[in-house]
Amino acid sequence: MVSDVPHAEEVIKKIRKGHGIIEGDLIEELETRPDLAAALTELHVNLRNSLKLLSEELNTKDAHCVLEMVQNADDNQYGLGVQPKLHFHLQPMQLRVDCNETGFSEANVKAICSIGQSTKPIEGCIGEKGIGFKSCWKIANIVAISSGPYSFKFDRSKDLGMIAPIAAEFPTKERVQGCTQFLLELQSAEKEELLRKELRNLPPTLIMFLRRLKNIRVEFDNGDYKEISYQPSDKYETPVLAGEKKRPGVLKTEIVLAFPMDADGEPLEETQNVHAFLPLRDYGLEVGCPVFYITRLNTAKTGSSQQFIVQTDFLLPATREDILRCPWNEHLLSSIPIAFLRAVDRLNNIETLRYTWIRYIPHKIPTSFLSSLPDRIKQRLKTSKVLWSWTEVKKEPQNLLHVPQQYLDRNGLPLLAHSSRLDAYLSPKYDWATDELSLTSVGVTTISTTEFLRALSKLSSNSWDNRSSEWHEDVATALVGLSFTRWSNELLSLPIIPLRDGTWVSKMTSGGATYLDHEADLKVPAGIEMQLVHSQAMASPVRVSLFEKLGLKRCDVRDVARTIVTTHLNAPGGFGTSYIETFYHLVYLFRARSSLPTLPYKHLWIVDKHRQWAKACDLYMDSPNMNGLEPLFSTKPEVFGLLHHNYIEFIAATDRAAWLEWLEKKISVSTRISVYKEGDPSAIVKGGTFSPAFDHLVRNHSSRMWLDLLMNPLVNYDPHVSVATGYELGVQMVSCADGTVQKLNETILPTEQLMSIAQDLGIDALPFLSLTDPDNTEWPKVLNSVGVPTKAETVFYMRILVHLRETGVTDRELLLKVYQKMTEAVGKQSNMVQLRHRFQNEKLIFLAPINQSPWITSYQCVWDGPRGLRDKEILCNYWPECKSLFCNILGIKGVSFDTVYSSLEIAITRSQRTQREDLKHLIACLAHFDINSQREENIRKLEGKKIFPVRGPTKDGGRAAKESIEDSSSLILIADVKNLRDDFVPYFFHLDLPVDVVFRLQDIFKILRMDDKLMSRCLEKVDAPASPMENDESLTIDLRSKAVCFTRCANLSKMKKNEQEVLKLLLSVKVYTALKIVSVQKVMYQNLEKTLKTDTELGFRIEASANGKAVEILLPQDEKRRGYICRTQLHTRLATCLGIPSQSGRILAILHNSVEEAEEYLTEEGIPALSSASNLNELMHLNVEEIASLSVPSSVARDLQESGSGSSGNEIFQRRSRNGNRSVGRPLHHGTRSDDPLTTRGLASGPRHIADPASASQARANISNDEMGLNIRAANDYNRQLQTVIRSGQFRPEATSSSTSTSIYIAVPPTNSQSRPRTSNDIDVGFLGEQYVFDILKREVPGFGQQHWTSNLKKHAMSHPAYQDVQSYDAYEVSDFVFKDVGGALTRFLVRSGHQRADRWLADPPQYFLEVKATTGNQDIPFSMSNYQAELALNLKTVDEDSQIIPQAAYIIFRVFHVKTSPKHTIYLDPGRLLSEGKLRSSPIDGVMVWPV
């Protein structure tokens, strides 16, 4: 130690010089060495920055220097016998620190003036880094030091002021001799406050683990002070890992665990730090508290949470605020649980901690080096004897059980423990409520409810019996508190119910017959054992509550009654030789009769007059009348037992009447012979269902006798008991009047009515019963239930059919009479289910004697269908007169799609001769079905199969037609238009089916990809003159004069032309007429081609002239025909050429009005005038000759020429059909109905397209030119009328009474008369009526749409904006509307309209053909019908108004009147029936006129 001051001053100077502090002569020397001065300056800058960073970042806490001062004081050297002390004295903006060490050496001074040059030895010192003193610079600007001869200071404001000492005297007033002193001048008041708080909060544990320092005193400027001192305790030494560089030569170190306690010796509720001699930080050791732990950052707490203190020689980082992860520290961590276990041994010997030390057990440490410590400690504790048992013996925690309070008896002992077993239970002195988490974490388990109940169930009967009443009450208290829903099975299986006979039972094993006690006044009769709870247990309310929870109840008379019945049921053969006990059983039940439950009392055992045991229901009451029947059972008296007389005499006379009634009604002692056994008669069992007595009668006496007994009052026969018992009676063999023996249910009651009917039918030997009084009115009640016919009802006629079938009768007339009488009988019965069931399961339908199986069921037939069906018989072929019976009553329907399809598949495999005709009929039948997705899949399977009958050409050589069967890919044509078939099929291989059948097969052709074979798609047609043509200058000039009007209407963009080109085109028009015009038709298919020329009366064409200089229009010379074409076809073709909709009506208005009226009309319609006025004026002033000299543009001429000749052409003058093929002026067809049976026999499930026999051409030819005079005013009127019709049809109409209450007079003309020509007014009125009806049906009938509008007048609807989407109807017109009423919507509309007979049709709604007849006048005005329409009405007439038969097709006339003003209508249903009934008459009037009369 340096002792002189001069030497100390010299050391200071050397240190400053060594740090490069330029002073004195060095300043002048450096002035001559600028390079050296610059280098030294840069070095100083770097060092200053490093010192600043070190002082600011070294520690996170500003007041950390306090702990560094404590550490240095513990590492200092002290004189012999000197007690180390450290003194902190805090003054305003100053902190003085005094330590009574020996003082600084020169090495100490140099170390404190450097960085990382500690002079402390490794072993025995806390500090080791040499930088701890630098933490002072977190709070101080100047630090003065005085130690021995050394007195200097550091000033951070100077160059290298934190390490470069400055010689300076220590303030005299602060100097304390014999001490090393530090005087810190603080940076700010905030730093002073932080320092003050740190010093006040110095923990008492601070010096617990220091090596030398045992006393710290802190004084404050206000006179307060704090002093900490400590006396050392025991320590645990552990060997360490050798080779740690920071601990060379160290072989062992200490681990110290400190457990804080309060003044009462209880664990202290404060968090503690981990120490490495000095506190590091709180690691969040979660202990004791089951909720959460307490840290310094969170002082809230909800229970006890304690920590112990850990001190050992951990290796630390420079900050001293954490523990390094290294092998040295890992070894120390693994040794802490051992130290903790040794500490527990000591804690268990401290009385106050014996049962509370467990609160020191750590539970959770947030992520850190110590995270695994809690689990390591608990694993040690689980297998160590550290906890006290109930007998105060230390046991391993994992072998101890905690007994919850509810499983302790009233003395606090476990309910299930013997004295020898108490050591298995945890001592009750532990506070489970507080320390449950700690105790369970080391392995202590709690007795669960499951374990408690399991232990109870293992107790023997002696164990239950030997326990005290108090124990049983305590157990009951524990069990009553349990949830019965959760623990019902366990509770019900516990033998905890003591009975009066000394046994213990459970509710589950007691059979449900255990009761608390008997609450009634009646005594339980002898021989009846009741399980009653022991009276001692009944004295405990809590045990009674437990029994009630288990479902036990007090015994009442109902329970006794159940026990009596059960006892009897379990006593086969009776009760031995004594019947007295059973008598008292009956008396008990009789006395308690007002409270008896429903039980099988009829099975009680009693004795008969011969003292033989029998069931009550098998005995009869002893009475004079019953005695009279006893001789009938003389051969077997046991089946007719009479009740012993004692059962009657033992009861007092005052109660006897009630007693006898009770015996009969309650226990079923019979007063009449029962036909059936008592019990469930719903099933036939071996031995039959008859009672023994009645069975004896049936087997041993004549049927006449026992049948007569069925109506005897002494016989109890209920014909409605069940189907099974009725069957048993019905199959008994009985005698018939003709001497034969038959089953009862195969016989007939021989009433006068039924025998008379059989005689009228000429049927002998019917199985009539042999009875004493067959006309007794009670017989139907007895015999109907067993199936014996008693009246002239369907069952009687079915019995006749069965008789005829069994006897081999084949007389059709006789069978027809039977079927017809059965039909009449059905009308008097409401329920036909049984009838249908019999026909479905019995062969009651006769076909023909030549048939292999002449009798069939209804499942084996259909009403109608095509030839070729292989698995169904067609009934209408055999019994056409019986349609009402078979269709409406028995529900036999027409053939189904599946039936036809399966037959079609079978027909493919048959020989061609029979196969071809079958295929024709099957395919025609297939056309009647709607094709859904499933059916479409089946149809696709037919592709490539030979199913189509084909006929070859008959001309071109005169060969006979070749017949074959082809598939869908064959080279054949399909004639889908009548006149095309007549004209072209002789030249082609074609499908050999009628046109109307082909029409219905369109969907199937499309599925099979055969629609390109349709003849209408392979047709090209053009009209050509067959006589010289003549100019029609009048019509030519008229058309040219209106060229501007036509051009204004043109759609130029669609025409792809400008105004000049269109106008020039229209000005070149020339109109020709010819006396004769022929129609040139060409059919081309694949490489086949045929052309035919036929005369046409309504032919015309538009085409370019041969020289290309004009547009030519060819019209017939006949004025009427030409006028009709100009009205019906010319305007539509012109509209199409001009690119505008033909239904717009504009072209029609221009054609039939003057130029001025047309111009005015277009202006009113908002059509703009033409734009290129100058050029147009020039064109308009040309005369006819000049116009004729104009050439039509070549492209237009070519288009016109192609359009006129039928070749592919332009979009202006060509009309295309919907399939894309060219068709100019497609003719209408006027064929007659086909006589092929396919068209007349059909199922009527699809539309019947039948051609109009009247000649449409003849009618159209009669139209005069006067009828063409439609002017602008007429057109406007027509539009207003159309709007009126639409508005009327869109609101609910006022329908007048229909044909159900009104007769109709129809005048049918002779067949050679000519039809009255149709005028334009007729067409207008007809269309307005159809439009009105369409709107009504669309609104009133769901599913009704424009596809059901099948009239050629439908196209006129397109002129109204509301019906722009309506498409014209070009096919055959059968009727104005055709609707297949699948859902019954139209039928229901008819019912709502007053036609109640249609209500019967809802079961299978028909297909409707609706014709509209409209007039402008009132309802009485006659309306016209064509011959075809009258014929169709007659073909579709029904049988009669009251018929039950549902038609498959129905004809309806909608009579619309006042059609142009305020339309109304009435509906005539089935006019054909009215004609056949004579309510309609014919008269030779021009046309067919109809009116109501």
Side-chain angles (χ1 to χ4, degrees), residues 507-522:
K507 181 64 171 64
M508 190 175 291
T509 59
S510 66
T514 303
Y515 303 95
L516 297 177
D517 56 16
H518 189 224
E519 64 179 12
D521 295 334
L522 294 174

Side-chain angles (χ1 to χ4, degrees), residues 752-772:
E752 290 185 6
Q753 179 194 20
L754 299 186
M755 296 181 71
S756 174
I757 293 175
Q759 186 176 3
D760 292 341
L761 291 173
I763 302 176
D764 300 326
L766 281 178
F768 287 109
L769 272 173
S770 174
L771 296 174
T772 304

Side-chain angles (χ1 to χ4, degrees), residues 215 247-248 325 343 352 445 582 705 817 834 885 985 1016 1110 1180 1189 1243 1297 1351 1365:
N215 183 274
R247 299 292 187 267
R325 293 185 180 273
T352 57
T445 57
T582 62
M705 187 277 295
K817 291 179 181 179
Q834 184 179 4
L885 172 65
V985 294
S1016 61
M1180 291 299 296
S1189 64
L1243 304 180
S1297 59
S1351 165
D1365 58 338

